[in-house]
Amino acid sequence: MLAESIRPDQADMMIENVVGRYALPLAIGANFLIDGQDFLVPMAVEEPSVVAAVSAAALLARAGGGFSTGSTDPVMIAQIQLLDVPDSAKARDRILAAQEEILGRADTSPSLSRLGGGPKGVEVRHLPDTPAGSMLIVHLLIDCRDAMGANAANTAAEAVAPLLEKISGGRAGLRILSNLCDRRRAWAEVEIPAAAFHSDDYSGKDVVRGIAEANAFAYADSYRAATHNKGIFNGIDAVLLATGNDWRAVEAGAHAWAARDGQYRALTDWRVRSCGDAESIHGRLELPLAVGTVGGATQSHPSAQIALKILGLEARRQTGAGPDSCDQDGDVAAETRRRGARRLSEIVAAVGLAQNLAALRALATTGIQKGHMRLHARQLAVAAGAEGEAVESVAGQLVSEGKIRLQRARELLQK
Ligand code: MEV
């Protein structure tokens, strides 16, 4: 067991009005084979079954050679809202014509630019008919390298706002990143032979068909999609939390992405593939993923540092250029790909896909309660005050009686 990781004085520096520390279990998602490389994945989560399920799914994925992943460049969007613009069309043209000057003004982090990142583009969108009237929205596209990039994006947005006011003749309102970072996406894919799903109770072909049917349900129905995607985030959030990343930002972006065609849908795609008599299931998950391996809690939280180390993604030498700074030099692009934030986003996508596979497999066969109840019973035994061997014996008794209740756990413990 790792020792308790964050000291009271560190907690006190991290946020305001601190009265204590709040710990979660840190576990290892096992069996991951991603792009031919083995990974042990640190996961911080309170829900029983999540880690066991994802590890079982990662083992299944090995039957198809593991996960293959990819990602875009780590480009964030910073938004500047312009109001009271006298002529939107002319202002738009003038802003686009002044792109070089705007990018120069937005270039507020020399260390980021040195590493190949920084402001890369300007876009203008017109919202003609909002409840507050017409507005122009300027997007700055900023490559954030290994940082999550909130600070870099917000600083750049604030830096260019006065220039944009001058060019457009309007008034700058909000200047803030967008969490719908659809230019910064990661994806994971897997293809597993149906035979790998075969058991005494279910044929592999029935199971893979059930998984594809479950996905079709979540694609077509938002009520189901919310639960389906929640299961994906059981895994994703756990890795984000363990590595000190902002899981609310990733959730917000992914849910907006899931509704990009106007309907909230499944983030995954699972289809049965046939080759002669043999069948397999192919799964894919793609989503916006703004994660960092430098800056913020990834560096200030000792457990996050350990988690990144377990993944082989720990930051090396620091440039000391601020919270959103990056730490590499040399062949920056290749290094970012191999060890940095992009790699983390790809691992996170693989974990999300595996977590979803575990849920759909269970739901399409025995249901999730059977496996879940044993772990839930353990939690109740602990909540009732059981320690050591008593945990398993109380939990076992709860399961065999079919009464998974706290009151019964207390009674058993007293006996
Ligand atoms: C429970 O935390 C997650 C599931 O509900 C996900 C799903 O239904 O796909 C099992």
Side-chain angles (χ1 to χ4, degrees), residues 47 224 227-228 230-231 234 359-360 363 368:
E47 184 174 327
R224 172 59 202 152
T227 322
H228 180 100
K230 185 275 182 184
N234 277 344
L360 297 192
L363 289 167
I368 61 157

Side-chain angles (χ1 to χ4, degrees), residues 305-376:
Q305 285 284 290
I306 292 170
L308 289 171
K309 201 167 182 177
I310 292 170
L311 289 168
L313 300 175
E314 74 275 25
R316 293 170 303 149
R317 189 171 53 76
Q318 301 303 303
T319 57
D324 267 350
S325 68
C326 305
D327 74 319
Q328 318 98 322
D329 47 20
D331 187 354
V332 171
E335 203 50 17
T336 300
R337 196 65 223 292
R338 199 170 62 81
R339 298 178 45 118
R342 281 184 64 178
R343 196 70 187 121
L344 178 58
S345 71
E346 292 161 354
I347 294 167
V348 166
V351 171
L353 188 60
Q355 200 76 58
N356 181 243
L357 173 62
L360 297 192
R361 183 197 187 195
L363 289 167
T365 55
T366 48
I368 61 157
Q369 287 307 82
K370 196 172 164 208
H372 194 72
M373 276 307 157
R374 166 119 218 142
L375 294 161
H376 182 49

Side-chain angles (χ1 to χ4, degrees), residues 42-123:
M43 302 175 76
V45 62
E46 89 298 345
E47 184 174 327
S49 305
V50 165
V51 178
V54 85
S55 303
L59 189 59
L60 257 180
R62 282 181 173 259
F67 299 91
S68 46
T69 68
S71 57
T72 63
D73 279 335
V75 174
M76 294 297 282
I77 298 169
Q79 295 192 296
I80 302 100
Q81 177 195 30
L82 295 172
L83 303 128
D84 305 332
V85 177
D87 184 330
S88 298
K90 276 198 185 127
R92 183 175 187 279
D93 290 346
R94 284 201 299 265
I95 289 167
L96 292 177
Q99 175 156 193
E100 285 314 308
E101 188 185 357
I102 294 166
L103 291 180
R105 193 72 64 90
D107 194 1
T108 53
S109 169
S111 64
L112 198 54
S113 305
R114 222 178 18 250
L115 295 165
K120 301 291 179 197
V122 177
E123 292 173 346

